[in-house]
Amino acid sequence: MAASMDQLQERYGDRYKWWVMMTVMIGTMTMSLSSTIVNVALPDIMHTFDVSHTMGQWLVTAFLASMAVGMLLNIWMVDRFGPRTTYMGSLLVFVVAALAGGFAVNFGMLIVVRIIQGLIAGMVQPLAMLMLYAVFPVNQRGQAMGLYAMGVVLGPTVGPVVGGVLVDWWSWRAVFLVVLPFCLAAFYMGSTFLSRPASAPHVHRRLDSLGILLLCGWMVALLWGLSEGPHLGWTSGPVLIGLLAAVVLFIAFALRQLRSRSPLLALGIFRYPGFGPAFIVAMLTGAGLFGSVYLVPMLVQTAMGESASAAGMLLMPAGLAMALSFPVIGRLTDRVLPKLLVAGGLVVFAISCIVLSEADAGTSLVLVALMAALGRVGLAMTMPPVVIGAVSIVPQEMVNQATGLVSFARQFGGSLGVSLSAILLQEQTHWTSGLGIPLTFPGYQDAFALMALFYLLGLYPMAMMKNPPPERQEATAA
């Protein structure tokens, strides 16, 4: 039987919290690597299975959307089975999915793999934040979040580079198989260092199966309607029915959550002033992060005619800039009001998108790399402050729901950001007859301009975010 958290803390002393950080960091790094590494392989995958760009982008949106669902399932999984079992079981399923992706025989199989991987990634990410909150004192949580985020960002930073090289030298299949060593390392460390806190009661929460079906139906209907609008026409019957179904299913899901004793999404948490604006800013952060990670490699490979390796290398400075920014931002979050950091981050990211919205055939790859890096610094300025700001205004017993909701907002925002970017590419760009791959710049320019607009508009909900309560400020100053 696994040792309790109190026993592990007694065995490892003050080092225990850092071992926990390393454990959840490796696991989450594996998931975050999988979320972006496929982007550099999209053109090759589309060519192998002879699918259009509209179909190809589902490998990204399916992962992000199912990841958002997994983040809500995490609450039930952790309460029902404990963090250790949830973490290790998730890793085992992820290993099987990675193997299936590496040896997929058709495109439909790849979509199923990405759905499973996203679902598992969604369960692991908020679990990591929960474990960090359990072992780190209040006045070190900002620092812990910054260091943890720095490690997590290394996955998607190095992943596209390695993935691009492997795609050029071997095959797109390598982007699925490369995560296996990290999964095994995370599984071993999880079996050693993770456990349910001794003080945490065992909860047998009922799984809201109907809520899951309504949530999945809503997201699928919405993303399908958005993706098919440019092809079938926004006033066509199927698209209108799909978008109308999304509205109906969302209303039904919200009513279900309000009436459920064990909701997937605790809507009551929005009654706390400031949580709703933090939720919106988290959505914008996700849209910017995943939308730009989707757009930049496609821009470099399709419009600028560079290789997958070049696209991966181009993302490395951006990832390193974001990773190096997180420890600094984490420490500042413990000393500066979160709203100030979020405001600065929104403006910095908007500036980078405005510059990229002017990209054309004469734009240098160096400028694209610099603007991508600047945008990542802006995103780093928003992430830890939004999490800390949202969690610090809710009661301790709702921290799990709060972290899950913030993570859900970021991932759902990411799926919308990718979907809207694909719509602009489809509407404004010329397509090849066989694969539907964009060859010119207008769609990319419009997509980056839209992101800049969203982030500038995000200054309004940022202004409505609440500062941490006085006891939080006193604890962080200690």
Side-chain angles (χ1 to χ4, degrees):
M1 183 177 179
S4 69
M5 184 171 289
D6 289 345
Q7 291 173 325
L8 292 172
Q9 287 175 327
E10 182 179 352
R11 181 185 306 169
Y12 294 102
D14 191 58
R15 296 174 300 165
Y16 175 66
K17 59 187 178 184
W18 301 109
W19 280 117
V20 171
M21 171 181 283
M22 288 296 298
T23 301
V24 298
M25 183 185 296
I26 292 175
T28 312
M29 182 173 64
T30 303
M31 310 300 168
S32 60
L33 182 147
S34 296
S35 70
T36 59
I37 195 173
V38 170
N39 293 352
V40 297
L42 276 176
D44 282 67
I45 293 174
M46 292 158 61
H47 176 75
T48 298
F49 295 111
D50 192 22
V51 298
S52 67
H53 182 78
T54 304
M55 288 295 295
Q57 62 97 19
W58 276 101
L59 294 183
V60 181
T61 53
F63 183 98
L64 296 174
S66 59
M67 190 173 180
V69 175
M71 287 174 174
L72 298 181
L73 282 176
N74 162 75
I75 300 172
W76 175 79
M77 291 288 293
V78 171
D79 285 342
R80 182 65 178 84
F81 300 106
R84 182 175 184 271
T85 302
T86 301
Y87 184 84
M88 296 176 65
S90 297
L91 287 171
L92 286 177
V93 175
F94 199 86
V95 166
V96 175
L99 289 170
F103 296 97
V105 296
N106 55 60
F107 189 75
M109 185 175 177
L110 279 183
I111 292 180
V112 172
V113 165
R114 293 295 284 170
I115 291 173
I116 295 173
Q117 286 187 325
L119 196 67
I120 296 302
M123 286 191 277
V124 169
Q125 187 170 327
L127 170 61
M129 289 190 287
L130 177 65
M131 295 300 298
L132 292 179
Y133 266 74
V135 299
F136 278 89
V138 173
N139 64 313
Q140 290 185 344
R141 286 175 181 171
Q143 178 187 8
M145 286 293 297
L147 291 171
Y148 161 74
M150 180 186 70
V152 169
V153 169
L154 290 177
T157 299
V158 178
V161 178
V162 176
V165 172
L166 290 175
V167 168
D168 287 340
W169 286 1
W170 179 32
S171 167
W172 58 264
R173 298 181 184 277
V175 301
F176 289 93
L177 301 177
V178 72
V179 301
L180 294 177
F182 299 99
C183 288
L184 296 176
F187 185 86
Y188 170 76
M189 294 187 71
S191 66
T192 304
F193 297 110
L194 295 187
S195 181
R196 179 190 291 267
S199 57
H202 288 267
V203 179
H204 294 285
R205 185 190 300 265
R206 292 186 60 185
L207 178 62
D208 185 6
S209 301
L210 178 58
I212 293 174
L213 293 176
L214 292 172
L215 175 63
C216 292
W218 160 51
M219 296 179 72
V220 169
L222 175 62
L223 295 175
W224 182 87
L226 292 176
S227 67
E228 292 301 316
H231 293 290
L232 301 179
W234 293 105
T235 58
S236 67
V239 171
L240 290 177
I241 291 173
L243 295 177
L244 178 61
V247 173
V248 173
L249 289 168
F250 174 76
I251 294 173
F253 173 73
L255 292 175
R256 172 69 180 180
Q257 299 312 291
L258 289 172
R259 296 173 180 174
S260 175
R261 295 182 179 180
S262 301
L264 287 171
L265 196 157
L267 295 182
I269 207 169
F270 286 93
R271 288 196 292 264
Y272 293 91
F275 189 87
F279 185 90
I280 294 174
V281 174
M283 283 186 63
L284 290 174
T285 301
L289 175 60
F290 294 105
S292 61
V293 168
Y294 169 76
L295 283 171
V296 171
M298 293 294 294
L299 168 69
V300 172
Q301 291 181 78
T302 60
M304 304 180 84
E306 300 291 338
S307 66
S309 300
M313 289 296 296
L314 196 72
L315 291 175
M316 177 169 275
L320 291 175
M322 192 174 188
L324 294 175
S325 299
F326 270 125
V328 178
I329 301 302
R331 293 187 70 86
L332 287 175
T333 303
D334 290 330
R335 293 167 172 79
V336 179
L337 293 180
K339 290 172 63 173
L340 298 179
L341 293 173
V342 173
L346 293 173
V347 172
V348 168
F349 186 81
I351 291 172
S352 73
C353 288
I354 290 172
V355 175
L356 288 173
S357 71
E358 298 296 322
D360 55 28
T363 302
S364 71
L365 291 178
V366 174
L367 179 61
V368 174
L370 288 175
M371 288 302 100
L374 180 64
R376 294 297 191 281
V377 172
L379 290 169
M381 293 174 66
T382 66
M383 287 184 177
V386 167
V387 173
I388 296 295
V391 170
S392 63
I393 61 177
V394 303
Q396 184 65 34
E397 63 271 17
M398 299 191 74
V399 165
N400 193 8
Q401 291 90 332
T403 56
L405 280 167
V406 170
S407 298
F408 171 84
R410 188 179 301 128
Q411 297 307 129
F412 182 60
S415 64
L416 288 179
V418 172
S419 183
L420 291 175
S421 298
I423 288 173
L424 290 174
L425 293 182
Q426 294 162 5
E427 292 277 18
Q428 302 294 337
T429 311
H430 298 292
W431 306 87
T432 63
S433 59
L435 298 179
I437 299 177
L439 297 177
T440 54
F441 290 89
Y444 293 108
Q445 295 170 346
D446 290 348
F448 282 114
L450 181 64
M451 286 191 183
L453 176 62
F454 280 162
Y455 267 69
L456 292 176
L457 292 176
L459 292 171
Y460 178 72
M462 177 281 305
M464 295 189 294
M465 288 177 58
K466 297 295 181 180
N467 293 321
E471 58 270 19
R472 162 66 176 166
Q473 297 181 25
E474 294 172 1
T476 56

